[in-house]
Amino acid sequence: MNRYPKGRRFSGSFRDSCLVVAENVYGQKGVWAYESFAFINQNYFDGRLPWPQIVWALTEHGGCVAWASASHDKSKPPVITLHPSLLRGSEKKRPWGIDARWLGPSLAFDTLLHECMHAHIDYNLGGQTGRTSHDCERWTRQVNRIAKLMGFEGIHAGRTKCVRVPDRNAPRTVRGKFATTVVRKTLGNIPFRAVASFPQGLREHLGLAAAYYSMQKLPDGVPRLTDY
Ligand SMILES: [Zn+2]
């Protein structure tokens, strides 16, 4: 039975409990993650996201920086897992291929936003429709919508598509024509890597990531995280 009536799901006592646990278990970063979530929900999702449990732990998929659980029947709140190393330099020089100097609240915020986009698609839009969770019309639409809200101009994120192109290295066909080969092309005007790892990937593509992350920038209105 659904214990959370429509419109009030995962609110009230669940939210309060999350905050108490966050403060006691994770301290300032635990509360900060929820404050950041509240900012993201209000500014980028019109308050439509269900309240999640935000856990700071090694992710289920060990290599990932974060993970959002998907519960399409909406019977449980989303669980967003953030890797603690997002906030501090790890022993590896380039954890997840990311420059260690970029680690900190700024990157953690962008990662939380990315996971919130997955939660929005899973809970509010009916789940992924594409080949993968990122090569998906619903994902690219969210990237385009939120990029604009974040102040990025002229960005068009698109899915990938297989197209047949002439293969000039292959021998000519018997009729003397170029043989063709199938390649996967990105529609839109930014590389698919930037689409799949938005917003971090977009900042990288635009050459803005190093300055933004190493200076630990955050959108106006997001509280600072000092103790991590
Ligand atoms: Zn993702």
Side-chain angles (χ1 to χ4, degrees):
M1 205 179 83
N2 188 359
R3 292 173 50 216
Y4 302 95
K6 206 166 178 241
R8 291 191 58 237
R9 63 196 159 106
F10 322 133
S11 60
S13 59
F14 175 64
R15 189 175 57 215
D16 295 342
S17 307
C18 284
L19 289 167
V20 171
V21 171
E23 189 168 10
N24 283 275
V25 177
Y26 308 119
Q28 199 198 351
K29 76 175 178 189
V31 176
W32 175 82
Y34 280 109
E35 288 169 342
S36 296
F37 166 78
F39 178 94
I40 287 168
N41 194 16
Q42 193 188 329
N43 286 275
Y44 305 133
F45 297 96
D46 212 13
R48 289 181 64 203
L49 293 179
W51 190 266
Q53 185 187 13
I54 303 174
V55 180
W56 290 89
L58 303 188
T59 50
E60 242 174 90
H61 297 250
C64 302
V65 289
W67 182 254
S69 76
S71 172
H72 299 286
D73 65 359
K74 304 181 182 179
S75 63
K76 290 180 185 156
V79 178
I80 295 176
T81 306
L82 299 172
H83 200 297
S85 296
L86 272 171
L87 284 177
R88 65 186 74 216
S90 82
E91 61 286 358
K92 288 188 205 159
K93 264 237 166 67
R94 286 176 68 84
W96 311 292
I98 296 168
D99 190 316
R101 285 168 300 185
W102 296 9
L103 300 173
S106 184
L107 185 69
F109 179 90
D110 274 5
T111 306
L112 179 61
L113 170 58
H114 179 103
E115 299 308 323
C116 285
M117 291 166 68
H118 283 303
H120 179 56
I121 289 169
D122 289 338
Y123 278 79
N124 296 330
L125 304 182
Q128 81 178 56
T129 50
R131 200 171 63 94
T132 67
S133 61
H134 300 129
D135 195 359
C136 166
E137 194 70 35
R138 286 184 174 153
W139 178 264
T140 55
R141 239 186 257 161
Q142 290 305 308
V143 170
N144 287 322
R145 187 180 68 79
I146 294 173
K148 206 175 262 175
L149 292 175
M150 294 176 91
F152 294 106
E153 305 272 347
I155 298 300
H156 179 60
R159 292 192 53 187
T160 68
K161 194 184 172 190
C162 285
V163 290
R164 195 163 273 285
V165 294
D167 183 354
R168 292 172 198 281
N169 297 319
R172 297 280 182 118
T173 65
V174 282
R175 292 186 178 167
K177 291 186 174 168
F178 282 118
T180 60
T181 182
V182 172
V183 295
R184 192 166 276 284
K185 261 188 75 176
T186 304
L187 309 169
N189 65 4
I190 55 171
F192 186 69
R193 204 184 157 275
V195 176
S197 58
F198 178 85
Q200 179 207 327
L202 180 61
R203 294 193 201 281
E204 280 185 67
H205 169 65
L206 297 173
L208 304 169
Y212 187 86
Y213 292 127
S214 55
M215 289 176 73
Q216 298 306 333
K217 294 206 174 189
L218 288 167
D220 287 341
V222 178
R224 304 286 120 180
L225 175 60
T226 49
D227 179 24
Y228 61 89

mmCIF file of all heavy atoms in Angstrom, residues 114-115 118 133-134 139 196-197, ligand 1:
data_model
loop_
_atom_site.group_PDB
_atom_site.id
_atom_site.type_symbol
_atom_site.label_atom_id
_atom_site.label_comp_id
_atom_site.label_asym_id
_atom_site.label_seq_id
_atom_site.Cartn_x
_atom_site.Cartn_y
_atom_site.Cartn_z
ATOM 1 N N HIS A 114 23.158 16.526 -11.973
ATOM 2 C CA HIS A 114 23.085 15.457 -12.980
ATOM 3 C C HIS A 114 22.177 14.322 -12.485
ATOM 4 O O HIS A 114 21.301 13.850 -13.211
ATOM 5 C CB HIS A 114 24.511 14.955 -13.260
ATOM 6 C CG HIS A 114 24.580 13.832 -14.258
ATOM 7 N ND1 HIS A 114 24.978 14.027 -15.564
ATOM 8 C CD2 HIS A 114 24.318 12.503 -14.143
ATOM 9 C CE1 HIS A 114 24.948 12.864 -16.203
ATOM 10 N NE2 HIS A 114 24.551 11.918 -15.368
ATOM 11 N N GLU A 115 22.382 13.917 -11.227
ATOM 12 C CA GLU A 115 21.572 12.814 -10.680
ATOM 13 C C GLU A 115 20.117 13.219 -10.512
ATOM 14 O O GLU A 115 19.210 12.401 -10.673
ATOM 15 C CB GLU A 115 22.165 12.327 -9.354
ATOM 16 C CG GLU A 115 23.597 11.781 -9.461
ATOM 17 C CD GLU A 115 23.764 10.711 -10.538
ATOM 18 O OE1 GLU A 115 22.844 9.900 -10.732
ATOM 19 O OE2 GLU A 115 24.818 10.697 -11.217
ATOM 20 N N HIS A 118 18.285 12.633 -13.686
ATOM 21 C CA HIS A 118 17.859 11.230 -13.823
ATOM 22 C C HIS A 118 16.605 10.976 -12.984
ATOM 23 O O HIS A 118 15.671 10.309 -13.429
ATOM 24 C CB HIS A 118 18.978 10.282 -13.368
ATOM 25 C CG HIS A 118 20.084 10.123 -14.368
ATOM 26 N ND1 HIS A 118 19.878 9.698 -15.662
ATOM 27 C CD2 HIS A 118 21.427 10.333 -14.266
ATOM 28 C CE1 HIS A 118 21.032 9.655 -16.305
ATOM 29 N NE2 HIS A 118 21.997 10.035 -15.484
ATOM 30 N N SER A 133 20.512 5.691 -20.885
ATOM 31 C CA SER A 133 19.885 6.745 -20.084
ATOM 32 C C SER A 133 20.292 8.145 -20.555
ATOM 33 O O SER A 133 19.601 9.119 -20.281
ATOM 34 C CB SER A 133 20.213 6.564 -18.598
ATOM 35 O OG SER A 133 21.603 6.640 -18.399
ATOM 36 N N HIS A 134 21.414 8.246 -21.273
ATOM 37 C CA HIS A 134 21.837 9.554 -21.787
ATOM 38 C C HIS A 134 21.548 9.727 -23.279
ATOM 39 O O HIS A 134 21.325 10.837 -23.741
ATOM 40 C CB HIS A 134 23.340 9.771 -21.545
ATOM 41 C CG HIS A 134 23.723 9.733 -20.100
ATOM 42 N ND1 HIS A 134 24.747 8.961 -19.616
ATOM 43 C CD2 HIS A 134 23.190 10.346 -19.016
ATOM 44 C CE1 HIS A 134 24.842 9.113 -18.302
ATOM 45 N NE2 HIS A 134 23.905 9.943 -17.913
ATOM 46 N N TRP A 139 16.493 12.795 -21.992
ATOM 47 C CA TRP A 139 17.713 13.340 -21.402
ATOM 48 C C TRP A 139 18.167 14.588 -22.162
ATOM 49 O O TRP A 139 18.452 15.625 -21.565
ATOM 50 C CB TRP A 139 18.835 12.284 -21.383
ATOM 51 C CG TRP A 139 20.118 12.825 -20.830
ATOM 52 C CD1 TRP A 139 21.176 13.317 -21.532
ATOM 53 C CD2 TRP A 139 20.443 12.987 -19.441
ATOM 54 N NE1 TRP A 139 22.149 13.766 -20.670
ATOM 55 C CE2 TRP A 139 21.727 13.574 -19.387
ATOM 56 C CE3 TRP A 139 19.783 12.684 -18.251
ATOM 57 C CZ2 TRP A 139 22.363 13.876 -18.178
ATOM 58 C CZ3 TRP A 139 20.413 12.984 -17.053
ATOM 59 C CH2 TRP A 139 21.691 13.570 -17.024
ATOM 60 N N ALA A 196 26.280 13.540 -22.319
ATOM 61 C CA ALA A 196 26.124 12.439 -21.353
ATOM 62 C C ALA A 196 26.615 12.819 -19.966
ATOM 63 O O ALA A 196 26.106 12.302 -18.972
ATOM 64 C CB ALA A 196 26.864 11.207 -21.858
ATOM 65 N N SER A 197 27.607 13.684 -19.882
ATOM 66 C CA SER A 197 28.124 14.031 -18.558
ATOM 67 C C SER A 197 27.805 15.489 -18.215
ATOM 68 O O SER A 197 28.543 16.141 -17.494
ATOM 69 C CB SER A 197 29.631 13.766 -18.476
ATOM 70 O OG SER A 197 30.297 14.510 -19.470
HETATM 71 ZN ZN ZN B 1 23.976 9.991 -15.793
#
